[in-house]
DNA sequence: TGCATTAGATCAGTCGCGAAG
DNA sequence: GCTTCGCGACTGATCTAATGC
């Protein structure tokens, strides 16, 4: 049985309040010196530590931010997420906020978030993180829930949802479009290694793909849209299968660097040279991108900054009730050696 | 103002207990159908959600595990930690436990952990994660604190501390020793890219280094122990400096793959071939190791398993009060192309 | 006796008010 | 009237025992 204020106060013949006052500020003058000394001694003896749960209840402030991630698998392996977490952490820790991850077993995003919210009243704020399992529509439902419950929150890793809420949006300006860049290099058969069709990132990428192609009057071949599920191994096998099926392409744009790893593997296995035969571009500019062979051209997404700004705005909302704001961060295409000017591929030679 | 049981019960002319009973089990037969319906409707209208803080206080069970990491910088970029977190998460989420990270601004490990503990009574259990900032002695102090407070806890990423506590220890069997392997390949000037001298991992590595060398009757050159601070860029510059200072070596063992990246950079800059001129071995076998140029030989550390087993044992302790157990996981040397048989280096040729 | 319901204690704190000196 | 010192009421839930019909 852990020592509590009550136990200490009873043993000393004081009120809980008196003991509480002392611990809140040991230099207080509201408690007599003798009593301070007695409290200190007994607390030390009983190894007293305040109960944060009770503190939170009584002060109606928990100093805990819940991070809601609509995904029911381990997600700390995602470099995307980890970059954002680093940014979030840098702000929250400075301001003395803890952050918590809530478990769920739901199958889809709205269910997961709803369940998380059911177990969340009492936390000071929320960070909603978009994932591959969370369509834009899903996230809108989630946002509606948050608004209805009147929770302070911020949305990360999602396209602009249109609400007047705290949101950090990472956008790709035309000048940083991987597809546009590949087209400029002369590639016209560009394979898109994306995720499931409803994943927001995939939706945006396909939209951008179509725009770029229609601008140039080129037809879009839907067979070039693969679903690598944001997993290295899936991307690898999808690509191998595409090659085996005789699908022709001279460049690949992968919506994560991890899938680009899978692409590298598949191309190596097939004896295709990067970028001699096939150009590859990744997304997120993970720290390992420049160490690959060849170094990977990648779209840098400012997730660290997104996490940092998101957390800042959330705290502003919590502590000063500032009005929500939307911030746009521009992605940047980082050129490395995995992408090159189009050169017709001699299929007989390249693929065994 | 968020709706509470009290508000609902007052508006309906019922007692808090009645409303509480309903929410605990909506199919209960202790509440009449009409009242159930009234409660449901009002709760819906007021957007009622139970307050987890109050629930925790009342049930004396928070279903929250605190993860204590004695480091005051962002740590989600560490692949080590992330692997462990994935394992932890896989267990906790299945069992319905949340997990929380506690902020601190302390300068050293005991201070950080002490501060974290001061803000932690009320959580169900603790995971103590060893870091570069936490010497073995530091961790012992932390463990003493935990024992004194009678908190359920488990220690990860630390050498065997000798206590009868829940601990998962990752050990390197002789057959997986990078140093031993390099010696067998004929290398005798082996550079050790480690961390600060008190970091547990560094202590162990230096100890192992000395053992291997003394077994073979070889003298140890302390100039070959560098402090790369577990950071890519620090490792890079330390290595460049060593090379510039004319320190001779034919192999490098880096205590993290991240530092191996730095080593790759430095060697490339100096025009030294891996493994032709210099063999490189990393540690942790991060997912990117096999994609490097050349693929990196690395000591695989089972951090995912450590996290998983640690969380399991912690929950066993919490839920069934099982006695603590210590588990040893064996590291494994994964051979790739960055390490090769010793070949005398022509310095004039190699370094410009 | 069983069904539907409630008062009140409890958890471990905080906060503002009040009473001596 | 200003300290110094301390207490009662309250936070939002759960749980036990009791009550009325």
């Amino acid at each position: 049985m852990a020592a509590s204020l009550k136990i200490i106060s009873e043993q000393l013949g004081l009120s809980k309040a008196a003991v509480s006052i002392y611990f809140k500020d040991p230099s207080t003058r509201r408690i007599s010196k003798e009593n301070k000394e007695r409290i200190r001694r007994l607390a030390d003896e009983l190894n007293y530590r305040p109960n944060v749960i009770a503190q939170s209840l009584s002060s109606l402030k928990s100093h805990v931010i819940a991070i809601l991630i609509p995904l029911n698998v381990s997600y700390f392996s995602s470099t995307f997420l980890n970059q954002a977490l680093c940014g979030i952490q840098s702000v929250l820790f400075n301001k003395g906020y803890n952050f918590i991850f809530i478990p769920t077993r739901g199958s889809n995003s709205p269910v997961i978030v709803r369940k998380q919210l059911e177990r969340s009243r009492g936390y000071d704020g929320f960070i909603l993180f978009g994932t591959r399992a969370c369509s834009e529509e899903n996230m809108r439902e989630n946002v509606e829930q948050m608004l209805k419950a009147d929770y302070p929150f911020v949305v990360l890793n999602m396209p602009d949802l249109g609400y007047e809420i705290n949101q950090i949006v990472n956008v790709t300006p035309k000048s940083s479009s991987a597809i546009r860049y590949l087209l400029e290099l002369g590639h016209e058969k560009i394979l898109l290694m994306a995720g499931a069709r409803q994943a927001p990132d995939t939706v945006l990428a396909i939209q951008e793909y179509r725009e770029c192609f229609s601008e140039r009057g080129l037809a879009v071949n839907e067979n070039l849209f693969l679903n690598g599920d944001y997993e290295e191994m899936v991307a690898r096998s999808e690509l191998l299968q595409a090659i085996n099926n005789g699908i022709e392409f001279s460049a690949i744009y992968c919506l994560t660097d991890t899938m680009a790893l899978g692409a590298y593997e598949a191309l190596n296995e097939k004896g295709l040279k990067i970028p001699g035969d096939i150009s590859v571009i990744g997304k997120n500019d993970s720290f390992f991108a420049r160490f690959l062979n060849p170094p990977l051209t990648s779209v840098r997404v400012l997730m660290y900054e997104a996490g940092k700004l998101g957390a800042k705005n959330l705290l502003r909302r919590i502590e000063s009730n500032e009005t929500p704001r939307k911030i746009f961060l521009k992605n940047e295409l980082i050129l490395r050696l995995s992408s090159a000017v189009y050169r017709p591929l001699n299929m007989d030679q390249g693929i065994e």
Side-chain angles (χ1 to χ4, degrees), chain A residues 6 35 41 53 88 110 145 240 251 268 349:
Chain A
K6 191 184 172 196
N35 278 342
R41 257 212 294 271
I53 306 282
I88 291 169
Q145 292 276 325
L240 283 175
N268 286 339
Q349 188 187 349

Side-chain angles (χ1 to χ4, degrees), chain A residues 152-173:
Chain A
F153 71 104
V154 61
V155 175
L156 300 184
N157 199 35
M158 266 283 152
D160 184 359
L161 295 170
Y163 294 89
E164 287 203 3
I165 56 176
N166 268 322
Q167 186 179 0
I168 314 294
V169 188
N170 300 84
V171 294
T172 306

Side-chain angles (χ1 to χ4, degrees), chain A residues 75-86:
Chain A
Y75 34 61
F76 290 101
S77 54
S78 152
T79 45
F80 243 68
L81 176 64
N82 286 328
Q83 286 173 22
L85 287 180
C86 282

Side-chain angles (χ1 to χ4, degrees), chain A residues 189-332:
Chain A
K189 294 179 176 168
I190 303 173
L191 195 144
L192 182 69
M193 185 62 76
R197 278 302 172 95
Q198 72 277 10
D201 211 36
T202 301
V203 172
L204 278 188
I206 290 182
Q207 188 182 317
E208 184 197 337
Y209 191 107
R210 291 189 195 284
E211 277 174 21
C212 296
F213 271 63
S214 81
E215 273 178 24
R216 305 196 162 228
L218 293 170
V220 169
N221 174 3
E222 297 235 359
N223 289 331
L224 292 175
F225 298 164
L226 300 190
N227 177 1
D229 206 27
Y230 299 98
E231 301 277 357
E232 176 193 329
M233 294 318 283
V234 180
R236 176 181 158 277
S237 63
E238 282 291 304
L239 185 54
L240 283 175
Q241 201 184 321
I243 295 173
N244 289 339
N245 289 345
I247 292 180
E248 289 180 18
F249 56 92
S250 64
I252 311 177
Y253 175 37
C254 300
L255 293 191
T256 64
D257 291 335
T258 322
M259 291 197 289
L261 290 182
Y264 269 49
E265 283 184 287
L267 296 175
N268 286 339
E269 282 177 43
K270 287 294 178 182
L272 290 163
K273 298 278 175 294
I274 310 170
D277 299 326
I278 307 282
S279 287
V280 179
I281 298 186
K283 185 170 179 192
N284 200 30
D285 191 33
S286 308
F287 65 95
F288 57 84
R290 68 182 194 283
F291 292 103
L292 299 183
N293 181 20
L296 178 67
T297 294
S298 188
V299 178
R300 178 177 294 166
V301 183
L302 301 176
M303 285 315 292
Y304 179 87
E305 287 73 12
K308 200 163 172 173
L309 289 170
K312 268 187 186 165
N313 287 351
L314 178 60
L315 292 191
R316 272 202 272 260
R317 170 73 210 290
I318 293 171
E319 295 182 340
S320 340
N321 202 24
E322 280 192 24
T323 51
R325 61 177 84 179
K326 207 175 291 172
I327 294 178
F328 295 87
L329 296 177
K330 285 182 186 164
N331 299 340
E332 193 184 347

Side-chain angles (χ1 to χ4, degrees), chain A residues 4-19:
Chain A
S4 66
L5 282 192
K6 191 184 172 196
I7 291 176
I8 293 179
S9 63
E10 278 173 358
Q11 293 202 16
L12 295 178
L14 292 169
S15 73
K16 287 194 296 178
V19 183

Side-chain angles (χ1 to χ4, degrees), chain A residues 56-123:
Chain A
S56 301
L57 177 59
S58 141
S59 63
L60 299 182
K61 188 109 175 49
S62 62
H63 285 277
V64 173
I65 303 294
I67 301 191
L68 305 189
I69 302 181
L71 206 59
N72 46 18
V73 296
S74 297
Y75 34 61
F76 290 101
S77 54
S78 152
T79 45
F80 243 68
L81 176 64
N82 286 328
Q83 286 173 22
L85 287 180
C86 282
I88 291 169
Q89 179 180 22
S90 71
V91 175
L92 295 190
F93 275 27
N94 258 322
K95 299 273 193 165
Y97 281 81
N98 307 354
F99 57 91
I100 198 166
F101 295 88
I102 319 261
T104 41
R105 292 211 248 182
S107 48
N108 61 55
S109 159
V111 171
I112 293 177
V113 172
R114 200 174 313 132
K115 284 192 180 174
Q116 291 179 328
L117 287 183
E118 277 166 17
R119 302 190 46 185
S120 295
R121 166 132 7 224
Y123 300 135

